[in-house]
């Protein structure tokens, strides 16, 4: 087996266009249970190595696993949100392989009778909507984590942290329905969003609670048969997934065009070098000698339980997007942004419930709020500006109590200090309190100084109106009521000669 990757020589676009990529993803998500799938150890991330372990998850002889009901329930919730059939009967199986991160010498997984099968989700990619089939969703236990760095003898030894061992996972296998790296990217983002909405996983790729393996092959366009697939691992970001697929597709086409043939194998994405390297041939790796797990009863799910879980499903992203557009009059684009995470969507609804107009709330959130959060590295849940506080600010602007320009400064101060808008406005004398007489005075001066632009305006150039507004706002140090400035300007301009 060649160890080094043949360079994906740049292939002419018309050659690339002869081929159609075929992609299927296998995604693992860690379920957000407090304890592990077969024992009572904590699943907390980041604890000191080997502190959340017991004889069961260390695989000591004589111990027996006990299934965590919450893990089953969460996997059911994920399955139902992905339109899968959750089966009355499913079964655990032993997947045998030998690796230090697997203390029992086998992983308890599901094989011929998975928890759920036959679902789908809908993606949007390259401007089109498309359904991607989900073959199956099953339950299994996570393995331990090999640590190759940070210990005294790391140069010569690998260390193992068994804290992760036994964390419940759902493996979600897609049909080979994707045809471009963009579709694969869209699938993974959509899947992640559904997992976040249903609360079954925090889907943090850096912490490994969402992991993705990509299967990819190419075939001549029009051909019915699939080509030989390669599995790519080590895709720990959305960007890596897309890059690895782009690379691998070109590599396949390069091999086929030069008269070579592909063989089934597992490859690793090397982000630093921007290519994949062969890790093992699939055939060898595949002999897992699965057999039914004798230490666990089959899983029985009553229709009553299944329906209870189905009823308790939260509103899913697509439904929420549509409802936001209909109920709050925001654009589909705004709705897309604001439903990105359940936390963001909840925040938006809370701002509106506290009295802000939907459109205004959406604008403030997408500009000042998201920028502030990004710049300070904060999550929306830790926003120093509460939904009620933002609603108050938005209302102050809408009712012309403060100008838009002042409001931006007020927001920055709110974000900085956690004080409310009215407190800041009162303390710093920011209320739009320029009298109509003072505005009129400013307008007259601006008109007198800019006869050229008055002439332009008179000859129908509506664009210069903004110039006048700007000048008057400047003269009143941004504290005039914009509506009043508008009205007075219109009146006096129409009288000007
Ligand atoms: P294996 O037996 O190697 O695990 P599976 O048939 O179970 O293969 O499929 C594993 C994943 O690979 C699934 O996500 C599936 O959609 C995808 N897949 C299967 N065949 C192909 C192919 N020819 N090209 C790309 N992906 C494929
Ligand atoms: Zn344990
Ligand atoms: Mg398989």
């Amino acid at each position: 087996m060649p160890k080094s990757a043949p360079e994906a020589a740049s292939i002419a676009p018309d050659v690339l266009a002869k081929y159609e990529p075929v992609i299927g993803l296998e995604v693992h998500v860690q379920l957000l249970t407090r304890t592990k799938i077969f024992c009572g150890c904590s699943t907390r991330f980041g604890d000191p190595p080997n502190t959340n372990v017991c004889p069961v998850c260390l695989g000591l002889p004589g111990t027996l696993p006990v299934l965590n009901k919450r893990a089953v329930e969460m996997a059911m919730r994920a399955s139902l949100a992905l339109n899968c059939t959750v089966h009355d009967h499913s079964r655990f199986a032993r997947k045998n392989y030998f690796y230090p991160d697997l203390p029992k010498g086998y992983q308890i997984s599901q094989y011929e009778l998975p928890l759920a099968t036959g679902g789908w989700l809908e993606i949007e990619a390259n401007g089109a909507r498309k359904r991607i089939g989900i073959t199956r969703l099953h339950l299994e236990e996570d393995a331990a984590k090999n640590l190759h760095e940070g210990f005294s003898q790391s140069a010569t030894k690998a260390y193992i942290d068994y804290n992760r061992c036994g964390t419940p996972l759902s493996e979600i296998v897609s049909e080979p329905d994707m045809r471009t790296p963009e579709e694969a990217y869209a699938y993974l983002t959509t899947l992640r969003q559904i997992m976040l909405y249903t609360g079954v996983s925090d889907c943090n790729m850096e912490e490994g609670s969402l992991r993705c393996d990509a299967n990819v092959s190419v075939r001549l366009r029009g051909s019915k048969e699939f080509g030989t697939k390669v599995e790519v691992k080590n895709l720990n970001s959305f960007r890596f997934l897309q890059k690895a697929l782009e690379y691998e597709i070109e590599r396949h086409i390069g091999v086929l065009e030069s008269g070579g043939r592909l063989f089934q194998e597992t490859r690793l994405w090397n982000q630093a070098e921007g290519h994949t390297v062969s890790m093992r041939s699939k055939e060898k790796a595949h002999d897992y000698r699965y057999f039914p797990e004798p230490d666990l009863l089959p899983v029985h799910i009553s229709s009553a339980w299944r329906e209870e879980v189905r009823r308790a499903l939260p509103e899913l992203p697509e439904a929420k997007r549509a409802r936001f557009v209909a109920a709050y009059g925001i654009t589909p684009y705004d709705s897309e942004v604001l439903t990105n995470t359940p936390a963001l969507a909840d925040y938006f609804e809370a701002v509106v419930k506290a009295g802000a107009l939907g459109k205004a709330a959406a604008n403030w959130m997408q500009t000042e709020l998201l920028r502030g959060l990004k710049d300070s590295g904060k999550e929306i849940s830790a926003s120093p500006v509460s939904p009620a506080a933002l609603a108050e600010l938005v209302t102050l602007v809408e009712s012309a109590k403060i100008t838009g320009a002042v409001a931006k400064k007020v927001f920055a101060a709110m974000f900085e200090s956690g004080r409310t808008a009215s407190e800041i406005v009162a303390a710093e004398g920011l209320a739009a309190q320029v009298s109509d007489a003072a505005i009129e005075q400013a307008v007259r001066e601006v008109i007198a100084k800019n006869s050229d632009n008055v002439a332009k305006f008179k000859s129908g150039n509506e664009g210069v109106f903004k110039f006048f507004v700007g000048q008057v706002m400047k003269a009143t140090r941004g504290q005039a009521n914009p509506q009043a400035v508008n009205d007075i300007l219109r009146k006096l301009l129409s009288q000007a000669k």
Side-chain angles (χ1 to χ4, degrees):
M1 191 196 315
K3 269 283 173 237
S4 67
E7 276 311 309
S10 56
I11 297 167
D14 59 319
V15 176
L16 287 177
K18 290 198 309 192
Y19 292 88
E20 177 180 57
V22 171
I23 301 162
L25 299 187
E26 293 168 283
V27 175
H28 286 88
V29 296
Q30 280 183 347
L31 301 176
L32 273 175
T33 55
R34 279 189 303 115
T35 57
K36 295 186 181 180
I37 185 168
F38 300 124
C39 64
C41 292
S42 168
T43 54
R44 208 167 29 241
F45 181 83
D47 280 358
N50 299 313
T51 51
N52 297 322
V53 293
C54 75
V56 174
C57 56
L58 288 175
L60 301 190
T63 58
L64 288 172
V66 177
L67 180 59
N68 180 342
K69 190 175 173 189
R70 289 284 291 160
V72 180
E73 191 183 304
M74 285 190 174
M76 276 165 76
R77 208 188 301 163
S79 305
L80 294 170
L82 295 171
N83 306 294
C84 291
T85 303
V86 171
H87 297 293
D88 300 344
H89 299 279
S90 63
R91 188 160 69 186
F92 285 97
R94 288 188 183 179
K95 180 180 184 179
N96 298 278
Y97 63 94
F98 296 95
Y99 205 63
D101 64 11
L102 199 64
K104 297 191 294 296
Y106 59 86
Q107 177 194 30
I108 303 181
S109 181
Q110 294 190 302
Y111 190 53
E112 351 83 290
L113 294 177
L115 181 80
T117 57
W120 50 266
L121 58 72
E122 202 166 275
I123 62 163
E124 193 173 325
N126 310 315
R129 298 193 72 79
K130 180 174 173 182
R131 223 176 235 210
I132 306 295
I134 289 169
T135 317
R136 56 187 277 152
L137 183 152
H138 70 243
L139 268 168
E140 62 187 29
E141 57 179 342
D142 207 346
K145 200 170 177 182
N146 295 323
L147 305 172
H148 298 287
E149 280 163 25
F151 295 93
S152 54
Q153 299 180 57
S154 283
T156 51
K157 287 180 177 156
Y159 293 73
I160 308 177
D161 176 8
Y162 287 95
N163 283 353
R164 196 177 73 175
C165 201
T167 299
L169 292 178
S170 268
E171 174 169 344
I172 302 159
V173 182
S174 86
E175 290 290 310
D177 285 348
M178 289 155 268
R179 296 291 174 268
T180 59
E182 292 75 23
E183 287 185 3
Y185 182 94
Y187 171 85
L188 193 61
T189 2
T190 307
L191 180 63
R192 177 174 187 271
Q193 200 176 46
I194 294 170
M195 297 297 106
L196 289 176
Y197 266 68
T198 49
V200 303
S201 176
D202 58 16
C203 291
N204 186 330
M205 276 189 127
E206 279 103 67
E207 292 183 1
S209 58
L210 172 74
R211 309 201 282 274
C212 173
D213 300 332
N215 296 272
V216 53
S217 63
V218 301
R219 62 181 172 186
L220 284 171
R221 277 186 201 279
S223 146
K224 290 256 162 8
E225 251 116 81
F226 285 154
T228 302
K229 80 167 153 68
V230 159
E231 185 185 24
V232 187
K233 290 187 178 288
N234 204 25
L235 304 171
N236 40 26
S237 87
F238 287 85
R239 204 164 46 87
F240 293 6
L241 168 69
Q242 202 165 335
K243 286 249 168 288
L245 285 171
E246 280 162 9
Y247 172 86
E248 198 59 18
I249 288 163
E250 287 211 13
R251 190 182 68 82
H252 285 211
I253 295 172
V255 169
L256 296 176
E257 282 291 308
S258 63
R261 62 178 277 271
L262 291 148
F263 49 95
Q264 275 214 39
E265 60 178 337
T266 300
R267 300 177 70 90
L268 281 186
W269 173 244
N270 181 327
Q271 173 64 18
E273 292 175 26
H275 62 66
T276 60
V277 268
S278 184
M279 183 172 126
R280 60 179 184 231
S281 79
K282 188 72 184 173
E283 286 80 11
K284 257 185 253 159
H286 218 206
D287 186 16
Y288 290 126
R289 295 174 297 116
Y290 278 104
F291 63 87
E293 168 60 62
D295 290 344
L296 284 163
L297 291 167
V299 182
H300 292 295
I301 290 167
S302 67
S303 52
W305 189 21
R306 185 170 45 228
E307 291 320 307
E308 189 188 316
V309 172
R310 196 196 301 277
R311 271 195 308 276
L313 280 181
E315 182 179 38
L316 293 174
E318 238 182 276
K320 204 183 278 290
R321 273 196 286 280
R323 184 170 62 77
F324 276 15
V325 171
Y328 305 123
I330 61 175
T331 65
Y333 174 81
D334 289 351
S335 187
E336 179 95 33
V337 175
L338 294 173
T339 56
N340 186 30
T341 63
L344 199 58
D346 289 348
Y347 188 103
F348 170 70
E349 287 209 281
V351 179
V352 175
K353 288 222 172 75
L357 285 175
K359 186 66 203 165
N363 285 343
W364 276 91
M365 284 181 66
Q366 287 179 84
T367 51
E368 308 304 309
L369 180 68
L370 287 183
R371 189 182 313 131
L373 291 172
K374 190 165 171 245
D375 291 349
S376 60
K378 286 198 170 84
E379 296 288 328
I380 184 108
S381 55
S383 169
V385 176
S386 72
L390 181 57
E392 191 206 14
L393 175 68
V394 172
T395 312
L396 286 177
V397 185
E398 294 292 313
S399 59
K401 298 258 166 45
I402 57 174
T403 67
V406 164
K408 287 196 176 157
K409 286 184 209 143
V410 173
F411 181 88
M414 290 165 71
F415 200 90
E416 185 75 29
S417 66
R419 288 186 299 161
T420 68
S422 44
E423 276 167 14
I424 294 164
V425 169
E428 302 185 19
L430 294 171
Q433 49 194 329
V434 183
S435 69
D436 281 6
I439 295 175
E440 219 173 293
Q441 176 63 23
V443 168
R444 285 187 198 287
E445 279 166 19
V446 169
I447 288 178
K449 265 190 249 159
N450 294 281
S451 47
D452 290 9
N453 280 327
V454 174
K456 277 191 204 154
F457 180 76
K458 290 265 166 193
S459 67
N461 184 344
E462 182 65 23
V464 291
F465 189 72
K466 274 207 196 103
F467 162 79
F468 284 112
V469 173
Q471 292 298 305
V472 175
M473 291 310 281
K474 203 167 139 194
T476 53
R477 296 194 320 283
Q479 294 189 17
N481 174 339
Q483 193 56 53
V485 170
N486 259 274
D487 295 347
I488 294 169
L489 252 176
R490 289 257 175 231
K491 189 181 80 188
L492 295 188
L493 274 171
S494 74
Q495 294 167 2
K497 287 192 218 76

